[in-house]
């Protein structure tokens, strides 16, 4: 017992000196760390920025998963040429294919009421184009309008469709045109709404293409791009719908699905392809021989309809140009009846 008490007193007596010794050794290390931080502030800032980006990426990934869980697929899937393609089918009759614009998905047509309206007289087939909604977008393919048109053709054949009317909105209009040029026997007639057909300089397209840049784009779309997209959403909606306000029915469009990193990549890639593909197609429009109705809002704030829709009407002899007064780029949302009337007009002319 005496020996144990002696050992305890010895340890207690020596502990302060041990702590002092250890503190004395740590202090120089801390001072050296501070000196290094002061000598290399950029390294410290880079480390902090990397940590912030990593946390942001984890948050964005979780938000994307939550969005997908809150918005389960509304339709069915086809595995076509290595792509899992999501589509919704409604109604019976002559097939009508709906192709949405850049950054959008099936819910755009669904919330507009166009799917239900058209399904009263047509077999409506609306696709999530590659990378949007619930469809895959393999990275081993450059998803030009022509590449997407081939995919859509294969999907339609799988669904037993050999002929169809096609409506394309915005970037979807380019896919519709490519489908008609590549496979004219399949397209009985087209409605082209708010499309971009001729190359022009677009600073917004250049800026919007950044997340498609290899490596850098991957970092952007997983970190700051979703945050920027959320902040810019009200301004984007004002530009797309203006001069009209966003209709209450558009609340059915899942914004959080649109700002997922995967969909931002698809949107950026299509922005990068927009001008080159218009350049490629600009001399081919005269080859279109099926009935075509070109629809555009006369106050479209995204696309100059005189330089695009009216010029296309001039180059396609059998086309009709319908200018919708007071409407903007989202003409199918704010003037759904006018778009439905255009579909019926094409069907009557076919």
């Amino acid at each position: 017992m005496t020996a144990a008490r002696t050992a305890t007193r010895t340890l207690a007596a020596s502990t302060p000196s041990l702590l002092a010794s250890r503190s004395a050794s740590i202090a120089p290390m801390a001072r050296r760390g501070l000196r290094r931080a002061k000598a290399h502030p950029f390294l410290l800032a880079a480390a902090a920025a990397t940590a912030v980006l990593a946390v942001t990426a984890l948050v964005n990934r979780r938000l994307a998963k939550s969005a997908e869980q809150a918005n389960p697929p509304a339709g069915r899937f086809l595995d076509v040429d290595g792509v899992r393609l999501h589509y919704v089918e409604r109604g019976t009759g002559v097939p009508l294919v709906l192709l949405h614009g850049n950054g959008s998905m099936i819910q755009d047509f669904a919330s507009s009421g166009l799917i239900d309206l058209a399904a009263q007289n047509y077999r409506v087939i609306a696709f999530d184009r590659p990378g949007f909604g619930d469809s895959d977008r393999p990275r081993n393919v450059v998803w030009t309008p022509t590449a997407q048109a081939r995919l859509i053709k294969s999907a339609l054949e799988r669904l037993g469709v050999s002929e169809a009317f096609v409506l394309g909105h915005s970037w979807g209009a380019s896919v519709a045109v490519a489908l008609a040029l590549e496979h004219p026997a399949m397209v009985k007639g087209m409605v082209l709404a708010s499309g971009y057909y001729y190359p022009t300089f677009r600073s917004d397209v250049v800026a919007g293409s950044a997340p498609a840049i290899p490596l850098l784009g991957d970092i952007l779309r997983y970190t700051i791009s979703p945050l920027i997209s959320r902040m810019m959403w009200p301004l984007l909606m004002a530009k797309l719908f203006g001069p009209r306000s966003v209709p209450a029915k558009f609340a059915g469009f899942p914004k959080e699905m649109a700002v997922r990193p995967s969909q931002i990549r698809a949107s950026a890639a299509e922005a990068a392809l927009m001008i080159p593909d218009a350049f490629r197609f600009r001399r081919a429009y005269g080859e279109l021989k099926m009935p075509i109705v070109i629809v555009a809002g006369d106050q479209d704030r995204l696309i100059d309809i005189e330089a695009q829709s009216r010029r296309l009407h001039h180059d396609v002899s059998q086309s009709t140009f319908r200018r919708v007064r007071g409407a903007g780029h989202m003409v199918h949302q704010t003037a759904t009846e006018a778009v439905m009337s255009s579909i019926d007009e094409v069907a009557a002319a076919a």
Side-chain angles (χ1 to χ4, degrees):
M1 294 291 292
T2 303
R5 282 197 296 270
T6 302
T8 301
R9 283 197 293 268
T10 302
L11 178 61
S14 63
T15 296
S17 61
L18 287 171
L19 291 174
S21 175
R22 187 167 296 175
S23 298
S25 63
I26 291 173
M29 291 173 61
R31 286 194 292 271
R32 284 197 297 271
L34 289 173
R35 284 197 298 270
R36 286 171 184 166
K38 291 178 181 179
H40 304 284
F42 295 111
L43 291 178
L44 183 63
T50 300
V52 170
L53 291 176
V55 171
T56 304
L58 290 173
V59 170
N60 285 326
R61 183 176 180 180
R62 177 163 294 187
L63 289 173
K65 292 294 183 183
S66 297
E68 290 167 357
Q69 291 171 0
N71 299 278
R76 288 177 280 184
F77 290 90
L78 282 173
D79 289 319
V80 184
D81 300 333
V83 180
R84 191 167 185 254
L85 197 62
H86 179 240
Y87 71 99
V88 163
E89 186 173 350
R90 300 279 189 275
T92 60
V94 180
L96 169 66
V97 177
L98 305 182
L99 302 172
H100 62 76
N102 190 5
S104 193
M105 59 194 91
I106 288 172
Q107 287 93 328
D108 181 14
F109 287 126
S111 66
S112 74
L114 186 61
I115 291 179
D116 289 339
L117 194 60
Q120 296 175 18
N121 297 301
Y122 302 90
R123 177 189 175 188
V124 180
I125 303 171
F127 289 100
D128 276 334
R129 294 193 294 100
F132 299 98
D134 292 293
S135 290
D136 294 341
R137 190 182 180 99
R139 300 188 73 157
N140 62 333
V141 176
V142 178
W143 289 105
T144 63
T146 300
Q148 294 192 37
R150 291 170 183 159
L151 182 71
I152 297 298
K153 175 183 179 290
S154 296
L156 290 173
E157 289 176 340
R158 290 274 299 277
L159 294 171
V161 176
S162 59
E163 289 184 320
F165 297 112
V166 181
L167 180 146
H169 174 251
S170 195
W171 215 94
S174 297
V175 180
V177 167
L179 183 63
L181 288 172
E182 290 275 314
H183 311 285
M186 175 169 275
V187 181
K188 292 170 63 69
M190 288 193 295
V191 176
L192 303 176
S194 307
Y196 179 83
Y197 313 104
Y198 300 93
T200 57
F201 175 73
R202 297 284 300 259
S203 59
D204 58 332
V205 168
V206 176
S209 303
I213 300 171
L215 187 59
L216 173 62
D218 290 326
I219 295 172
L220 290 174
R221 68 187 178 88
Y222 275 106
T223 56
I224 64 172
S225 291
L227 303 178
I228 293 173
S229 296
R230 289 184 181 92
M231 288 188 295
M232 297 294 292
W233 189 263
L235 295 176
L236 176 62
M237 293 302 102
K239 186 170 185 176
L240 289 176
F241 283 92
R244 299 186 185 179
S245 57
V246 179
K249 60 185 178 180
F250 193 69
F253 183 84
K255 178 186 78 172
E256 285 300 317
M257 289 283 283
V259 298
R260 292 172 299 162
S262 60
Q263 188 146 325
I264 287 174
R265 176 171 69 88
S267 297
E270 294 202 347
L273 291 168
M274 184 173 154
I275 297 173
D277 283 308
F279 188 86
R280 178 190 171 198
F281 286 141
R282 75 194 191 286
R283 301 190 191 281
Y285 299 127
E287 299 173 18
L288 298 170
K289 301 302 179 185
M290 66 286 296
I292 297 174
V293 174
I294 303 163
V295 185
D298 70 347
Q299 296 191 48
D300 192 324
R301 296 175 177 176
L302 191 67
I303 291 174
D304 182 344
I305 69 166
E306 294 296 323
Q308 300 297 331
S309 295
R310 179 172 285 283
R311 182 177 172 185
L312 181 67
H313 171 53
H314 179 269
D315 287 349
V316 180
S317 59
Q318 77 285 3
S319 68
T320 300
F321 179 35
R322 295 192 66 175
R323 180 194 296 266
V324 182
R325 292 188 177 279
H329 190 70
M330 301 291 278
V331 65
H332 60 294
Q333 284 277 353
T334 58
T336 311
E337 292 286 350
V339 174
M340 188 68 243
S341 176
S342 298
I343 294 170
D344 291 335
E345 183 179 340
V346 163

